[in-house]
Amino acid sequence: MVDLPVTSGCLALLPGGGPSGSEGRNKMAATMALPVSLSGRFKGSFAYVTIKDRLPQILTRVIDTLHRHKNEFFEEHGEKGVEAEKRAISFLSKLRNELQTDKPVTPLEDELPDAALWNQYLDCQRNLSNGNGEPSWFQSPWLYVECYMYRRIHSALAQNPPIDNFDVFKEGKAQNFFESQEAVIALCTYFQELLKNVKDLDEKQLQGELFKLLQVALWGNKCDLSFSAGEESSQKSSPLQSLEDLIPYVLVNDMEKLWSLLINAKKRTTDKSIVRVDIILDNAGFELVTDLVLSDFLLSSKLADEIHFHGKSFPWYVSDTTKHDFNWTIKQLQSANHMRMSRCGINWEGNLKKGVWVYHDHMFWTLPYEYSSMAKVAPDLYADLQKSNLLLFKGDLNYRKLTGDRKWEYTVPFYQALNKFHPAPLCSLRTLKSDTQVGLKPGQGEQIQASEPEWMISGKYGIVQFDAAV
Ligand SMILES: O=P(O)(O)OC[C@@]1(O)O[C@H](CO)[C@@H](O)[C@@H]1O
Ligand SMILES: [Mn+2]
């Protein structure tokens, strides 16, 4: 892990920050004020309901999980394990109380490598509040306090050896994987059949298969567990069957642009150059399998030569993928009692060994920053992403961080909401589970709103939204 500069915090909120581009669109983004952040201070908003109801529920589940594992901790570590469990539970109960009573956000007291950055970020939030009280759970930006909660859960465990490596969300992630078994089999079977003749497909057919697997990866994002506050949320039916019916629910559909980018990159590659695609992962379980199938397709069809995966360095937003989840999933597939599934697992392990699949985790992904701050906060990560031909950002939280989690007008161009975050061409594959959306046609949002007030938070709608980074 690199040393991050401790001097930067809430960068996007600093007036005049960031490079000033010569291009017209750049200038516009630099001079326009950013809309206000989504926050629990807007009573009745989705942020408010999440902080009031869903986050305390998640904390209660975490506490229950620790209780349920008490005997296991005792068997593994003796009395020390039980003591650690008690300390972690009391830390988490205190956290839940702070949240529910809208107490000020407190500095982190652990000594993990990112603690200084979090505390710096808090200082910045304090400065921004301009004497309007301390940053607190309901008053501060939703994105900040929600990320902070997951960092405090991490702290509760990390500070309490010998249970410091226990992932409180592991069971839920595994359950989601097992309950999606039928859908995983259907997808692996389809894919293994496709592989048999992938070399003979003409461009039109290749495009058709890419579009299918992109949509499967998009709808795979319905299955996250923080949304259901940890209750089961798995894929029961074949993910390929309903794609046609779901097309009207794809509100922004830039798949053609993705195709052009990939096919042109493939045609331009020489012996020395390679096409690299990066996937900024979201949830483990079924969604991760859809991402791995898409990645395998990109390699097998030679649309890409290398895939780089970016996961989380500690358990995050209940179902997000850590390195352990990534390796666990591939192992599960490998050892499955189903030929097509195990074929997939074996191939994927091979891809990792050959170095054509590379897994990364960077501290930045579990910090509260919006992505427009990446170039300053994590220049090494930004520089790495610049080497990519295409960045695929999976899921809702990534979209919130791409667009800064603000009250944007629906018709604001995606380019503008990215607020100078353009390391490489990028695309968001996301089902809508929070009330922020840009890049819609005039009237499009209002029209859906009129008949379906929950359209932005139900996960029923999705986007494949592309930015060319020029
Ligand atoms: O990023 P993901 O997994 O698609 O979704 C995470 C998520 O469920 O967490 C937040 C609610 O707590 C929502 O904003 C968001 O939809
Ligand atoms: Mn997630």
Side-chain angles (χ1 to χ4, degrees):
M1 198 67 75
V2 292
D3 283 337
L4 299 175
V6 182
T7 47
S8 42
C10 328
L11 285 168
L13 302 175
L14 297 173
S20 62
S22 56
E23 212 189 316
R25 284 195 295 178
N26 256 344
K27 274 191 194 147
M28 189 174 72
T31 49
M32 287 215 347
L34 294 170
V36 62
S37 300
L38 301 178
S39 161
R41 72 195 162 92
F42 302 113
K43 284 236 170 68
S45 68
F46 186 59
Y48 172 80
V49 175
T50 298
I51 299 166
K52 186 166 95 37
D53 299 331
R54 227 140 33 86
L55 299 189
Q57 268 175 38
I58 289 169
L59 284 172
T60 301
R61 274 176 187 267
V62 170
I63 292 169
D64 286 351
T65 304
L66 288 172
H67 266 307
R68 272 191 295 106
H69 284 78
K70 192 174 180 169
N71 289 345
E72 187 185 312
F73 296 144
F74 182 72
E75 278 155 26
E76 262 182 51
H77 312 289
E79 231 9 88
K80 280 204 161 57
V82 179
E83 293 296 316
E85 181 240 24
K86 278 191 202 144
R87 282 195 306 271
I89 288 180
S90 103
F91 184 99
L92 290 163
S93 309
K94 183 166 167 284
L95 173 63
R96 185 176 51 190
N97 181 269
E98 288 169 21
L99 185 163
Q100 289 183 309
T101 53
D102 195 19
K103 290 279 178 330
V105 175
T106 58
L108 294 176
E109 287 173 3
D110 58 54
E111 276 161 19
L112 299 175
D114 59 347
L117 269 171
W118 278 96
N119 292 342
Q120 180 91 27
Y121 198 97
L122 172 57
D123 280 342
C124 176
Q125 289 290 328
R126 282 179 176 149
N127 292 337
L128 286 171
S129 69
N130 269 337
N132 288 333
E134 289 274 296
S136 69
W137 289 87
F138 283 81
Q139 299 309 312
S140 292
W142 172 32
L143 179 63
Y144 169 47
V145 294
E146 195 173 28
C147 291
Y148 173 82
M149 183 188 86
Y150 288 98
R151 179 57 177 78
R152 286 277 301 265
I153 295 174
H154 178 51
S155 190
L157 276 298
Q159 279 182 298
N160 283 306
I163 62 164
D164 45 341
N165 281 320
F166 184 74
D167 178 352
V168 288
F169 302 123
K170 193 168 78 185
E171 285 176 334
K173 290 183 271 194
Q175 191 185 350
N176 175 290
F177 175 82
F178 291 124
E179 283 174 356
S180 310
Q181 192 84 340
E182 295 288 300
V184 170
I185 291 178
L187 185 56
C188 291
T189 304
Y190 176 84
F191 185 61
Q192 288 302 324
E193 286 303 310
L194 173 63
L195 281 188
K196 286 184 188 162
N197 64 354
V198 72
K199 293 201 171 59
D200 308 320
L201 299 181
D202 63 29
E203 277 196 11
K204 195 80 211 141
Q205 291 168 319
L206 213 53
Q207 187 201 48
E209 298 303 336
L210 174 71
F211 286 6
K212 267 190 208 158
L213 295 178
L214 278 171
Q215 289 171 79
V216 170
L218 162 64
W219 296 118
N221 180 244
K222 267 189 180 173
C223 307
D224 91 88
L225 294 171
S226 87
F227 196 57
S228 54
E231 272 170 45
E232 70 100 349
S233 147
S234 52
Q235 174 78 28
K236 299 275 191 300
S237 56
S238 165
L240 289 138
Q241 255 163 25
S242 37
L243 295 182
E244 280 293 311
D245 303 338
L246 290 173
I247 283 284
Y249 298 97
V250 184
L251 299 180
V252 178
N253 189 342
D254 288 337
M255 290 197 296
E256 297 274 353
K257 292 183 186 164
L258 281 187
W259 166 254
S260 303
L261 179 135
L262 288 169
I263 194 73
N264 289 331
K266 176 182 162 127
K267 287 177 182 163
R268 273 201 312 268
T269 46
T270 60
D271 287 349
K272 287 197 197 97
S273 67
I274 60 145
V275 177
R276 164 174 163 177
V277 174
D278 285 50
I279 305 191
I280 296 67
L281 295 170
D282 187 5
N283 304 306
F286 180 69
E287 181 172 356
L288 177 60
V289 178
T290 66
D291 298 334
L292 297 176
V293 169
L294 174 64
S295 306
D296 192 346
F297 174 76
L298 291 171
L299 282 193
S300 308
S301 62
K302 302 218 168 17
L303 286 168
D305 306 294
E306 257 179 33
I307 312 287
H308 291 243
F309 299 96
H310 300 266
K312 306 297 192 294
S313 39
F314 58 82
W316 186 249
Y317 278 69
V318 187
S319 41
D320 281 21
T321 307
T322 62
K323 186 173 191 176
H324 178 275
D325 301 323
F326 187 84
N327 292 330
W328 180 89
T329 305
I330 295 179
K331 281 265 163 329
Q332 286 299 316
L333 283 156
Q334 240 182 71
S335 56
N337 197 7
H338 186 282
M339 207 184 59
R340 263 62 174 254
M341 264 174 92
S342 63
R343 248 301 101 229
C344 283
I346 292 164
N347 288 348
W348 298 348
E349 169 97 31
N351 288 342
L352 289 168
K353 289 217 171 95
K354 278 184 256 166
V356 288
W357 278 15
V358 189
Y359 180 89
H360 307 256
D361 46 22
H362 192 289
M363 183 201 277
F364 183 80
W365 304 117
T366 46
L367 288 171
Y369 294 97
E370 48 198 277
Y371 294 158
S372 62
S373 303
M374 186 192 287
K376 286 202 176 144
V377 178
D380 58 328
L381 177 61
Y382 194 86
D384 185 37
L385 298 185
Q386 283 179 312
K387 295 180 198 147
S388 186
N389 294 77
L390 174 65
L391 311 171
L392 294 176
F393 285 89
K394 289 298 313 287
D396 197 75
L397 178 63
N398 272 325
Y399 193 76
R400 292 172 59 192
K401 287 187 163 188
L402 283 167
T403 57
D405 212 34
R406 298 170 185 283
K407 283 197 182 190
W408 291 104
E409 298 282 339
Y410 302 143
T411 50
V412 163
F414 187 35
Y415 182 89
Q416 187 184 326
L418 286 168
N419 191 22
K420 305 186 201 78
F421 178 69
H422 306 287
L426 65 85
C427 184
S428 158
L429 297 176
R430 163 240 188 181
T431 60
L432 278 67
K433 290 178 268 180
S434 62
D435 42 7
T436 192
Q437 181 60 52
V438 297
L440 297 187
K441 297 195 190 83
Q444 194 183 3
E446 290 76 3
Q447 198 189 340
I448 312 172
Q449 174 80 30
S451 57
E452 288 181 69
E454 304 273 278
W455 67 286
M456 294 183 97
I457 53 169
S458 61
K460 179 172 162 190
Y461 289 89
I463 51 162
V464 180
Q465 194 162 34
F466 178 75
D467 171 68
V470 284

